[in-house]
Amino acid sequence: MGYLSSQVINNMGFASVGQNVLISDKASFYNSSKITIGSNVRIDDFCVISAGIGGIFIGNYIHIAVYSSLIGAGKITIGDFSNISSRVSIYSSNDDYSGNSMTSPLLPKEFTGITNADVFFEKHVIIGGGSIILPGIVLEEGVVIGAHSLVKNDCRAFGMYAGNPVRFIKDRSRNLLDLEKKFLNQVN
């Protein structure tokens, strides 16, 4: 995987970019002026990051793995120390599939029934490969989403969830919070 140089990244027109940012030369960005990228971030091959009106905010120490997408008109926020596995789709906009409206971004709004809603991940969230996050979701601190899951409801802190749709599996250890403090003391 080839990474863009820091000069190229700085010339892409992002709202802001931190330090130690690795972006694949095969990743795609749309509406870069509404995308904020923190420090110590890696975005892999074939990711699509497409910001709408609400923008996209990627925190610190974030990995977005291959073929993942963050798209939609609503605001998408990814909290520090979060990881998005490969082929994850995060939507802040979604069509109405009921048949009461038409579905296509090429149609005027009066013919569609698109839902736009913010998506918010707190710190230490992990999303397993192939999962889908729908608009309006809040994943509280430390949430884990198992692979190939559909998230259409909020998930409470330090819960492990999986399935289609997701259901609570068990609680996650909070030991990582002590490790976070130790790590931050070392780097600061």
Side-chain angles (χ1 to χ4, degrees):
M1 173 172 11
Y3 292 111
L4 299 172
S5 70
S6 58
Q7 181 180 356
V8 169
I9 292 171
N10 289 332
N11 290 333
M12 290 176 69
F14 292 114
S16 68
V17 178
Q19 298 177 345
N20 191 30
V21 173
L22 299 173
I23 297 177
S24 166
D25 59 1
K26 295 174 187 72
S28 298
F29 295 86
Y30 300 92
N31 204 6
S32 295
S33 66
K34 294 204 171 271
I35 299 172
T36 298
I37 301 174
S39 294
N40 303 297
V41 172
R42 189 176 105 191
I43 300 172
D44 290 348
D45 290 349
F46 311 113
C47 289
V48 176
I49 314 287
S50 180
I53 297 164
I56 294 176
F57 300 84
I58 299 169
N60 301 306
Y61 297 99
I62 306 292
H63 177 219
I64 302 175
V66 298
Y67 293 104
S68 290
S69 62
L70 287 71
I71 57 178
K75 180 179 179 181
I76 298 174
T77 303
I78 308 297
D80 295 348
F81 303 105
S82 293
N83 287 281
I84 299 170
S85 297
S86 57
R87 298 189 186 275
V88 168
S89 299
I90 301 169
Y91 297 101
S92 64
S93 295
N94 195 18
D95 280 304
D96 171 14
Y97 295 85
S98 70
N100 291 321
S101 58
M102 295 174 70
T103 58
S104 173
L106 303 174
L107 293 168
K109 288 184 181 183
E110 66 263 22
F111 296 99
T112 65
I114 297 172
T115 299
N116 300 310
D118 297 347
V119 174
F120 186 76
F121 295 5
E122 293 184 6
K123 294 191 321 182
H124 299 290
V125 168
I126 300 174
I127 309 297
S131 294
I132 298 171
I133 313 298
L134 294 179
I137 297 301
V138 174
L139 300 181
E140 294 180 358
E141 185 177 21
V143 163
V144 172
I145 303 296
H148 301 286
S149 294
L150 172 65
V151 183
K152 60 181 195 171
N153 293 306
D154 296 346
C155 297
R156 69 171 175 78
F158 290 94
M160 298 177 81
Y161 296 80
N164 183 356
V166 295
R167 62 180 180 81
F168 175 77
I169 304 298
K170 66 178 187 175
D171 288 320
R172 182 181 187 199
S173 171
R174 294 175 187 252
N175 290 344
L176 61 89
L177 296 176
D178 293 331
L179 292 171
E180 175 190 357
K181 287 178 189 171
K182 184 177 179 180
F183 170 73
L184 291 175
N185 284 335
Q186 288 179 357
V187 297
N188 291 332

